[in-house]
Amino acid sequence: MSDAAKVMRRCDVLAACTEEPGGITRRFASDAMGRAHQYVREWMLEARMAVTRDNVGNLRGRYEGAGKGTLLLGSHLDSVRDAGKYDGPLGVMVAIAAVQRLRDAGKRLPFAIETLAFADEEGLRFGSTYLGSRAVAGRLDAAELQRIDADGVTMAEAIRAFGGDPGRIGDDRWTGERPLGYVEVHIEQGPVLEARGLPVGAVSAIAGQSRFEIMFTGEAGHAGTVPMDRRRDALTAAAEVVLAVEAAASTEPGLVATVGRLDVEPGAANVIPGRVSFTLDVRHPNDRTRASACEALLARTRETARRRRLGVEVRAVSERASVACSPRLTKLMGEAIGGRALEVASGAGHDGVYMSEITDVAMLFVRCKGGISHNPAESVTEADVGVALDVLSRFLELL
Ligand code: GLV
Ligand code: MN
Ligand code: MN
């Protein structure tokens, strides 16, 4: 079996590690993640890596080099709800395969390679993103540990149940010399490579993003008896905001804004919605444009609440500036690609956002069918994965 075929098969194996049968959902510190770790640990060991798991739950495989310095490779193993197979796992599998190649050739590079399989990038379980890479960058605050998931479990409890010590998250921080870089292979999640007929591309930058949790509180009441002019319906207010978000993003070039989750309470056909909470995700390559878009949308949200006599609470969940990839490493990635090396900007967030705080970052995108991701229809070809693996191996040689 070719190396690329093996990567594909391993992504299939990980897809079966899910909390929801019939689909892929693998949240931070879940049993499904635990099962995925058993496989990934085995594969790291097979490539002769020394494997450890840190407190937050990142799996780390280290392949020593002949000299000093460490290059970090990685991606994440958690997923969104009803996910595809490749967003995250592909990058971890390609990294392990690249190390396996070195091992099979009996080769040690002048530097060590540490493969990081991050515990959380999507933020599905606790609403707060990049938990894995934030711990490595030393940016996971103790206050975050009190966040609760949908079942009322705190992050600290989840970490403990998964085998980590929440009191020692600080130990997960990278403390050695500054790494030589952090390199991530990831599906593009966009249509550019496919449109250009290219299997892979180097990434120029990762767009910034802001996330909010918003709650409207009105008054629940009888759907048959409360006259329309006396209602304080939290859902109709939220509907207004959802459409305003779409309109704002449709008129500002480069802006994308999404309400991806909406919870209606009490949630019955014959009850006026008394409370609605929803998420807002706003992104733009330019940080100032993103900030002013957020300001305008939140002002619109508050105005809606006032006009409709509702209570409103806005909680900023996360805010990250856009991150430029390292020109030096990206140029090297271009050389490793050879020929037509296109640079693509990423609208999706990646662990490189936080890794950029401790080292230089480079990314390699792999073409995906229709640019589709965060969807079970995510698809990459074995041939393209083979190209990505060759490029990463060449990158390691060039470095
Ligand atoms: C991660 O996939 C994100 O960009 O939300
Ligand atoms: Mn994702
Ligand atoms: Mn991802």
Side-chain angles (χ1 to χ4, degrees), residues 63-96:
Y63 186 77
E64 291 299 341
K68 279 181 24 156
T70 303
L71 177 73
L72 306 175
L73 300 180
S75 196
H76 57 100
L77 290 179
D78 68 312
S79 79
V80 292
R81 171 157 292 132
D82 201 16
K85 288 179 192 170
Y86 304 106
D87 175 357
L90 179 69
V92 180
M93 295 305 104
V94 171
I96 293 174

Side-chain angles (χ1 to χ4, degrees), residues 218-229:
E219 191 171 31
H222 199 292
T225 61
V226 183
M228 294 310 285
D229 64 349

Side-chain angles (χ1 to χ4, degrees), residues 76 78-80 87-88 121-122 186 189 348-350 373-374 378:
H76 57 100
D78 68 312
S79 79
V80 292
D87 175 357
E121 180 260 7
E122 306 283 7
H186 202 285
Q189 307 181 268
H350 297 287
S373 72
H374 285 187
E378 244 169 48

Side-chain angles (χ1 to χ4, degrees), residues 69-359:
T70 303
L71 177 73
L72 306 175
L73 300 180
S75 196
H76 57 100
L77 290 179
D78 68 312
S79 79
V80 292
R81 171 157 292 132
D82 201 16
K85 288 179 192 170
Y86 304 106
D87 175 357
L90 179 69
V92 180
M93 295 305 104
V94 171
I96 293 174
V99 175
Q100 181 80 52
R101 276 190 177 177
L102 293 172
R103 148 77 206 160
D104 291 346
K107 207 179 218 164
R108 294 274 167 191
L109 293 172
F111 48 85
I113 294 179
E114 197 155 318
T115 300
L116 300 171
F118 289 115
D120 169 281
E121 180 260 7
E122 306 283 7
L124 177 61
R125 183 163 182 182
F126 290 101
S128 185
T129 53
Y130 304 119
L131 300 179
S133 44
R134 275 160 68 193
V136 175
R139 294 291 302 273
L140 189 54
D141 300 336
E144 295 257 10
L145 296 167
Q146 298 316 314
R147 281 180 181 278
I148 51 168
D149 70 5
D151 300 316
V153 178
T154 65
M155 194 187 294
E157 287 163 348
I159 287 171
R160 201 174 292 112
F162 200 65
D165 181 346
R168 302 191 64 177
I169 291 291
D171 296 357
D172 297 350
R173 190 164 64 90
W174 182 266
T175 50
E177 264 178 55
R178 182 179 167 89
L180 301 172
Y182 168 75
V183 179
E184 176 166 352
V185 175
H186 202 285
I187 56 168
E188 184 199 348
Q189 307 181 268
V192 177
L193 293 173
E194 190 175 63
R196 300 290 191 92
L198 296 170
V200 296
V203 178
S204 54
I206 306 170
Q209 57 172 280
S210 305
R211 290 196 199 177
F212 303 91
E213 293 256 1
I214 299 169
M215 186 163 78
F216 280 133
T217 307
E219 191 171 31
H222 199 292
T225 61
V226 183
M228 294 310 285
D229 64 349
R230 295 179 64 161
R231 294 186 178 200
R232 292 166 59 224
D233 184 329
L235 180 57
T236 48
E240 214 183 273
V241 172
V242 170
L243 291 177
V245 165
E246 184 189 47
S250 306
T251 48
E252 173 71 48
L255 184 69
V256 286
T258 308
V259 174
R261 205 200 70 223
L262 192 135
D263 298 319
V264 182
E265 294 175 49
N270 58 351
V271 184
I272 298 162
R275 184 147 65 185
V276 168
S277 29
F278 58 100
T279 56
L280 173 63
D281 177 306
V282 183
R283 308 185 192 203
H284 193 281
N286 180 303
D287 292 330
R288 259 187 302 183
T289 310
R290 173 174 48 84
S292 51
C294 289
E295 216 173 286
L297 288 172
L298 296 182
R300 174 67 202 269
T301 301
R302 294 195 172 96
E303 182 274 320
T304 303
R306 247 190 329 271
R307 181 167 28 82
R308 290 173 168 272
R309 296 174 294 120
L310 304 177
V312 61
E313 260 178 58
V314 175
R315 205 160 56 84
V317 180
S318 60
E319 203 268 321
R320 286 302 295 171
S322 60
V323 166
C325 290
S326 148
R328 183 178 58 87
L329 293 182
T330 304
K331 184 164 167 281
L332 210 60
M333 189 62 85
E335 282 173 39
I337 293 170
R340 288 169 65 203
L342 188 72
E343 285 192 21
V344 190
S346 175
H350 297 287
D351 291 298
V353 165
Y354 272 94
M355 297 310 284
S356 72
E357 299 202 357
I358 60 165
T359 188

